[in-house]
Amino acid sequence: MAGNEPGGRSARKHQAIMEAATAAFMAKGYAGTSMDDIAKLAAVSKQTVYKHFADKEKLFAEIVLATTDRVDAMIDLVAGIPTDAGALEENLLRLARQFLTALTQPQVLQLRRLIIANADTFPDLGAAWYEQGFERVLATLAATFQRLSGQGLLRIDDPLLAANHFSGMLLWIPVNKAMFHGGPQHTQAELDHYADEGVRVFLAAYR
């Protein structure tokens, strides 16, 4: 892919291009970013950029889909809720706070806006990002709720709908504010409040 360059050097250049492209797309959007911009930020030639990525669309797709790897840690977190009746609320509160903090990080929100802004141009990419990312989290959360329901800790007929209710109550306010304002508008104290109240309402409906 990178001609005669040694593997380590090629990998470093590949990573530098990825990081530069991410910064450029975040700052200027997809349409406003050129391969020249990316080459300058990465401190490589435009020819080198094209050695690693055939065109801007493929580079954008790789950047977007690479972020779905970060979901693995969130899936482990969601799947790891213990079956402990006495600590159910405490465990859900811990999950809700970590879940909300992770999904409202500035770069995550920026990426979400970038993908939504280009959803008409790259609908398959937007769908793939959702399916490989947030949808996997929802499916894992649904499986976890089904397990807790099977143990008698929750009363849930539709685990996937319950997973959407849980995440929706947490994310609706901070994410919508961020989408319309162009960046995070919340404090950590506000996130914790949304998490605590979301869990309280969820348990009122499903326990």
Side-chain angles (χ1 to χ4, degrees):
M1 180 171 59
N4 297 319
E5 293 179 8
R9 186 180 174 199
S10 175
R12 286 194 298 273
K13 285 190 176 181
H14 189 90
Q15 185 60 32
I17 293 166
M18 290 274 286
E19 290 173 1
T22 300
F25 286 136
M26 294 287 196
K28 298 182 177 182
Y30 178 82
T33 298
S34 70
M35 294 294 255
D36 281 320
D37 295 331
I38 293 164
K40 286 175 186 174
L41 272 176
V44 299
S45 69
K46 188 161 73 169
Q47 182 183 13
T48 298
V49 176
Y50 279 111
K51 277 184 182 179
H52 287 261
F53 300 95
D55 53 40
K56 187 171 75 165
E57 181 177 341
K58 287 186 173 57
L59 176 51
F60 183 62
E62 183 161 336
I63 285 169
V64 168
L65 294 179
T67 64
T68 61
D69 292 342
R70 301 175 196 169
V71 170
D72 292 343
M74 180 63 63
I75 285 176
D76 289 342
L77 177 70
V78 168
I81 301 175
T83 306
D84 183 348
L88 176 64
E89 184 168 359
E90 178 186 342
N91 290 331
L92 286 179
L93 282 170
R94 187 181 304 111
L95 169 66
R97 289 189 176 204
Q98 292 175 313
F99 185 87
L100 192 47
T101 298
L103 292 178
T104 55
Q105 291 297 312
Q107 191 174 32
V108 174
L109 291 170
Q110 242 182 329
L111 181 66
R112 180 188 177 99
R113 293 180 75 243
L114 183 63
I115 292 167
I116 290 171
N118 292 280
D120 288 343
T121 307
F122 306 116
D124 291 343
L125 180 59
W129 186 77
Y130 182 80
E131 289 162 6
Q132 295 176 32
F134 194 56
E135 196 164 62
R136 284 171 57 211
V137 175
L138 286 173
T140 304
L141 188 57
T144 298
F145 287 160
Q146 189 166 31
R147 172 170 57 83
L148 295 174
S149 182
Q151 294 293 322
L153 276 68
L154 296 173
R155 292 182 296 103
I156 294 177
D157 296 324
D158 187 336
L160 185 57
L161 184 59
N164 276 278
H165 286 162
F166 182 83
S167 58
M169 285 190 291
L170 302 181
L171 296 170
W172 178 262
I173 296 173
V175 169
N176 274 316
K177 279 188 175 181
M179 292 300 100
F180 287 106
H181 285 85
Q185 302 297 305
H186 52 260
T187 64
Q188 186 60 48
E190 286 173 330
L191 289 184
D192 290 346
H193 178 64
Y194 299 147
D196 294 352
E197 286 301 296
V199 169
R200 183 183 66 80
V201 174
F202 181 82
L203 287 175
Y206 286 108
R207 182 153 61 179

